[in-house]
Amino acid sequence: MSSLADTIHIENVVASSDLGQELALDQLATDLDGAEYNPEDFPGVVYRLQEPKSATLIFRSGKVVCTGAKSVDAVHDALEIVFDDLRELGIDVDSTPPVKVQNIVSSASLEQSLNLNAIAIGLGLEQIEYEPEQFPGLVYRLDDPDVVVLLFGSGKLVITGAAESADAQHALAHVNDRLTELGLLE
Amino acid sequence: MSDSTIRTYSSDQRQTDNDETVSTPDEDVLTCPECGGQVIDDEEHGESVCVDCGLVVEENGIDRGPEWRAFNSTEKDEKSRVGAPTTNMMHDKGLSTNIGWQDKDAYGNSLSSNQRQKMQRLRKWNERFRTRNSKERNLKQALGEIERMASALGLPKEVRETASVIYRRALSEDLLPGRSIEGVATAALYASARQLSTPRSIDEVANVSRIDEMEFKRTYRYIVRELSLEVAPADPAQYVPRFASDLDLPDEVERRSRELISNAQADGVTSGKSPVGLAAAAIYASSLLTNHKVTQSEVSEVTDVSEVTIRNRYQELLEATEAAA
């Protein structure tokens, strides 16, 4: 089991925060080095960092979303750096604005090929969604933890919608148990 | 399927008539008012009975089916009933009166101009009365749309009937607001074709529908989830006979295609692959194996699957068959 948990790899973490004040995005876009702002395409300023690699979206309302980070620590670091940069521009940012992790996307593997047809029937058609004509993966919605798991024929999984990194482990363990119970794993 | 749903629908209707504020119960499951057990229809005695405690929930049930088999003229007179059996394919189940358009009386004589005007007015009000509220007008349009698409796709009557039932459920569970009538009608038809093992591909259905493919797919996934329709994944073999006959290929090819597909399924290479693509490749491969060669582009034309997909699946099918041999 522990070997399976080793296959879990966090691919993306999304976190949000609030500066608590309205921002003049035009001004911000010119002052902030390397920021992109195309109000016709997207209403927010996109501010990309190389270290840790991430993109932060800053909106007029003062709400901030950071995406693309590879770990929960990295997303916090990235937001700290963004807040520091904003403070340098003279924007009055709290010392610790509340940061909330919204979504963690992980990949994992069961390390064997899967028969998705049998899994679809075995797991009960009301909990899953498997439309090979539309998408090659099987969508399995779990209630606890509240995540969505995509299972592919190769045995690879994508676990999304997690609020903390332990959710991915629980989900993988749950999927593994269910499939073993149904006799669908070798 | 359609038969039992007609029954539950009518009892459901009565309940909401009694108390408008009662929320619509799940239409497929009738539970016993005494013990909460499952209620089944006993067709022979015309009763609805609880399986657990034996309580008769409804007696003297009406058989709404046809009664057309008569072997001599007396029987014919005895068995004569007015009108056709009820059907879910019409918005009022075919129960309302139609006023003919001919302006003739029962003896076939033409009406006087005075009478004609009167009939014209009656016809107009009858038509307005038949569809009283927006839901009924909505249903009428949707069922017409289902009928149109089903005949364009050559789907049998059972599929239309089931599609109509699915649409009615969607309507009674208030899934329509925010979605187009055409979209839900298309999705209901696609789902019912899948449920009754006569699947049509998404492309085929989207071609005869008035809405675009993305909206259709989105609506389909939505109603399947909301109504818990439990549509099993389509079996590639279900597409084979139709494609084979569209290409004028003999039975031999069809049989060989089924073999190839079942080999591939046993080998486990079909997971996550489009069933339409697999069927197309199986047809192509078996046409080669049995010396009835069709080209990839001909197969591609008929099945709406790209030649690249056919080539890729073709390789996999042959490898799976070699592995099985």
Side-chain angles (χ1 to χ4, degrees):
Chain A
M1 189 55 237
S2 60
S3 67
L4 272 184
D6 290 344
T7 65
I8 295 180
H9 191 254
I10 295 181
E11 304 288 347
N12 184 17
V13 180
V14 180
S16 67
S17 183
D18 191 355
L19 300 175
Q21 59 184 307
E22 295 232 338
L23 300 170
L25 291 189
D26 288 316
Q27 190 62 37
L28 187 67
T30 44
D31 291 351
L32 206 55
D33 239 8
E36 300 161 31
Y37 183 44
N38 301 311
E40 299 208 341
D41 299 338
F42 188 71
V45 169
V46 182
Y47 185 44
R48 290 177 206 279
L49 293 181
Q50 287 310 316
E51 191 51 49
K53 200 167 165 46
S54 65
T56 304
L57 316 172
I58 306 167
F59 295 95
R60 200 209 75 245
S61 62
K63 297 239 161 81
V64 172
V65 174
C66 179
T67 173
K70 293 281 181 196
S71 72
V72 176
D73 292 338
V75 83
H76 282 97
D77 291 350
L79 277 169
E80 271 318 310
I81 295 172
V82 173
F83 293 149
D84 282 344
D85 290 353
L86 289 175
R87 281 188 201 107
E88 270 173 36
L89 294 175
I91 295 166
D92 177 29
V93 180
D94 279 2
S95 57
T96 48
V99 173
K100 182 163 187 285
V101 174
Q102 300 285 357
N103 184 15
I104 300 175
V105 181
S106 321
S107 63
S109 172
L110 290 169
E111 294 177 323
Q112 57 183 286
S113 63
L114 301 173
N115 181 350
L116 295 182
N117 247 332
I119 294 174
I121 311 257
L123 289 178
L125 287 169
E126 64 274 19
Q127 279 204 53
I128 61 104
E129 189 181 306
Y130 177 47
E131 294 290 334
E133 246 188 285
Q134 296 180 37
F135 182 66
L138 181 149
V139 183
Y140 181 26
R141 289 169 212 277
L142 276 68
D143 292 326
D144 184 43
D146 186 12
V147 298
V148 177
V149 181
L150 310 179
L151 291 96
F152 294 88
S154 61
K156 295 245 167 66
L157 323 173
V158 171
I159 302 162
T160 179
E164 46 194 294
S165 47
D167 286 351
Q169 266 110 40
H170 295 151
L172 179 63
H174 178 80
V175 169
N176 192 47
D177 290 350
R178 287 281 288 154
L179 295 184
T180 314
E181 222 173 89
L182 293 164
L184 294 168
L185 290 180
E186 278 145 29
Chain B
M1 158 85 207
S2 53
D3 199 17
S4 63
T5 332
I6 296 173
R7 261 165 242 276
T8 47
Y9 184 86
S10 58
S11 64
D12 180 81
Q13 185 89 336
R14 208 175 311 120
Q15 197 162 344
T16 40
D17 282 350
N18 289 343
D19 184 358
E20 288 293 333
T21 56
V22 160
S23 65
T24 321
D26 194 355
E27 294 192 10
D28 275 333
V29 193
L30 268 180
T31 50
C32 170
E34 289 290 326
C35 68
Q38 192 199 347
V39 172
I40 55 152
D41 285 322
D42 179 354
E43 310 244 329
E44 197 184 334
H45 302 103
E47 290 170 347
S48 299
V49 186
C50 172
V51 198
D52 294 336
C53 66
L55 178 81
V56 177
V57 180
E58 188 185 347
E59 57 181 350
N60 298 332
I62 297 170
D63 185 352
R64 296 179 180 80
E67 198 180 29
W68 288 327
R69 273 167 67 90
F71 300 99
N72 55 46
S73 62
T74 356
E75 272 183 37
K76 205 172 171 184
D77 287 342
E78 267 173 18
K79 290 192 173 179
S80 163
R81 300 281 189 281
V82 174
T86 57
T87 164
N88 274 309
M89 295 189 301
M90 294 210 259
H91 78 280
D92 52 12
K93 306 195 173 179
L95 285 175
S96 65
T97 308
N98 276 312
I99 301 178
W101 53 273
Q102 287 107 331
D103 284 328
K104 296 222 168 111
D105 66 11
Y107 301 102
N109 301 324
S110 298
L111 300 177
S112 66
S113 77
N114 223 341
Q115 289 284 348
R116 257 214 302 280
Q117 274 184 8
K118 191 172 153 195
M119 290 314 290
Q120 193 58 45
R121 281 197 303 277
L122 274 172
R123 220 176 269 133
K124 184 180 281 169
W125 278 104
N126 184 45
E127 198 54 39
R128 289 180 186 170
F129 189 72
R130 257 151 62 95
T131 52
R132 259 165 306 180
N133 53 38
S134 67
K135 273 198 173 175
E136 270 184 55
R137 281 193 295 278
N138 175 327
L139 191 57
K140 196 175 171 188
Q141 192 191 340
L143 296 180
E145 192 72 359
I146 288 174
E147 189 66 30
R148 182 186 66 79
M149 288 186 287
S151 58
L153 292 167
L155 285 164
K157 205 172 137 201
E158 296 78 58
V159 174
R160 300 172 198 198
E161 188 90 38
T162 309
S164 309
V165 172
I166 294 174
Y167 189 91
R168 279 166 189 274
R169 283 190 56 200
L171 192 62
S172 72
E173 294 191 16
D174 278 331
L175 303 185
L176 261 297
R179 261 153 289 276
S180 67
I181 295 173
E182 286 90 353
V184 180
T186 313
L189 187 67
Y190 175 75
S192 89
R194 286 267 301 272
Q195 279 186 329
L196 297 181
S197 308
T198 47
R200 295 292 183 267
S201 71
I202 286 183
D203 287 325
E204 287 174 286
V205 178
N207 276 337
V208 300
S209 172
R210 290 185 210 274
I211 56 159
D212 69 50
E213 198 173 316
M214 278 315 286
E215 192 189 339
F216 158 41
K217 287 196 237 178
R218 201 177 304 131
T219 316
Y220 167 70
R221 287 198 300 267
Y222 178 77
I223 66 159
V224 166
R225 269 189 67 192
E226 290 295 318
L227 299 177
S228 325
L229 286 181
E230 307 205 358
V231 184
D235 182 354
Q238 290 170 342
Y239 294 95
V240 167
R242 201 155 46 84
F243 292 159
S245 94
D246 284 349
L247 287 162
D248 279 330
L249 290 168
D251 286 352
E252 195 186 357
V253 175
E254 211 179 300
R255 204 160 46 240
R256 199 60 188 263
S257 305
R258 286 176 196 280
E259 262 173 47
L260 289 174
I261 290 171
S262 67
N263 282 336
Q265 279 167 335
D267 204 34
V269 295
T270 59
S271 275
K273 305 283 164 38
S274 161
V276 189
L278 284 164
I283 294 268
Y284 173 67
S286 49
S287 77
L288 292 186
L289 293 172
T290 54
N291 285 325
H292 295 283
K293 185 175 162 47
V294 283
T295 62
Q296 289 177 5
S297 70
E298 282 165 342
V299 179
S300 162
E301 183 94 348
V302 165
T303 58
D304 259 332
V305 174
S306 83
E307 291 168 39
V308 181
T309 307
I310 294 178
R311 278 196 288 278
N312 290 341
R313 293 296 95 78
Y314 165 76
Q315 289 292 343
E316 290 166 8
L317 284 175
L318 291 190
E319 277 162 23
T321 302
E322 260 169 45

